[in-house]
Amino acid sequence: GPPEAPGPARAEAACSSSRAPAPASPENSRRLATEVPIAPLELDFISGPRMGEKLVLCERVCTLGRGEGNTIQVSDSQLASVSRVHCIFEYSGNRWHMRDNGSTNGTWRRLSCVLEPSEPTPLADGVAIQAGVHEFLVEEVDMRQWWIPSAAHDSLEELCEHD
């Protein structure tokens, strides 16, 4: 038969968590397919020790803090301005929310609006959040960008150049 065309670029690899078992049976894959996929959330550190770093969150619930076992572990200076589990990101109802985890110094939105502990706040694209000395922008990753197979992308660009 004809050789198989390369499939779409696999975004799952970057996102899959070791805890998620592979679907073993057809029923399983059908059930998984009905679950709403999570739109990954990108954190873009704009100031603080991790400035310039980008992280992508792909699990439904993620935590940020200085303790081990957080999805995002941030180091802290002697100031101890970041709590062990400082804030929690949660994907529910088709959008990302964030709440302060009752941290000592609070989690701040740009313009000094403090996030209430245990009150999930919907995140808007491009909002700057500050936890201690760490400040980052949050942005939902557009899923469409993830599914462009790179080979097809290259040949599209070549076609455009020949015009």
Side-chain angles (χ1 to χ4, degrees):
E4 281 190 33
R10 310 283 294 181
E12 296 102 315
C15 275
S16 69
S17 117
S18 51
R19 288 191 301 252
S25 63
E27 298 88 64
N28 240 357
S29 8
R30 267 205 301 278
R31 190 177 57 75
L32 286 171
T34 60
E35 284 179 22
V36 181
I38 295 178
L41 184 73
E42 185 175 277
L43 302 191
D44 212 337
F45 284 90
I46 52 175
S47 72
R50 298 183 70 164
M51 187 170 152
E53 281 187 51
K54 277 184 202 275
L55 294 174
V56 177
L57 304 182
C58 300
E59 293 186 24
R60 209 167 272 282
V61 178
C62 298
T63 56
L64 178 144
R66 63 184 160 84
E68 285 179 30
N70 282 297
T71 319
I72 308 148
Q73 188 178 9
V74 289
S75 58
D76 201 4
S77 56
Q78 293 80 14
L79 300 169
S81 54
V82 177
S83 297
R84 278 189 295 278
V85 176
H86 195 91
C87 54
I88 298 167
F89 300 88
E90 191 169 354
Y91 190 76
S92 68
N94 285 356
R95 64 178 308 177
W96 282 95
H97 298 76
M98 180 185 187
R99 60 189 161 94
D100 183 73
N101 191 40
S103 66
T104 314
N105 290 292
T107 305
W108 298 80
R109 259 202 316 227
R110 179 57 75 78
L111 302 177
S112 73
C113 166
V114 70
L115 298 181
E116 293 295 321
S118 78
E119 196 57 49
T121 306
L123 286 175
D125 268 6
V127 168
I129 303 287
Q130 185 147 9
V133 290
H134 300 271
E135 190 176 3
F136 48 87
L137 292 172
V138 292
E139 205 162 356
E140 259 188 31
V141 176
D142 184 352
M143 288 304 280
R144 284 168 306 200
Q145 298 172 356
W146 287 59
W147 299 109
I148 298 173
S150 47
H153 188 64
D154 293 347
S155 48
L156 274 174
E157 282 185 344
E158 281 168 27
L159 285 173
C160 300
E161 282 165 18
H162 291 307
D163 256 3

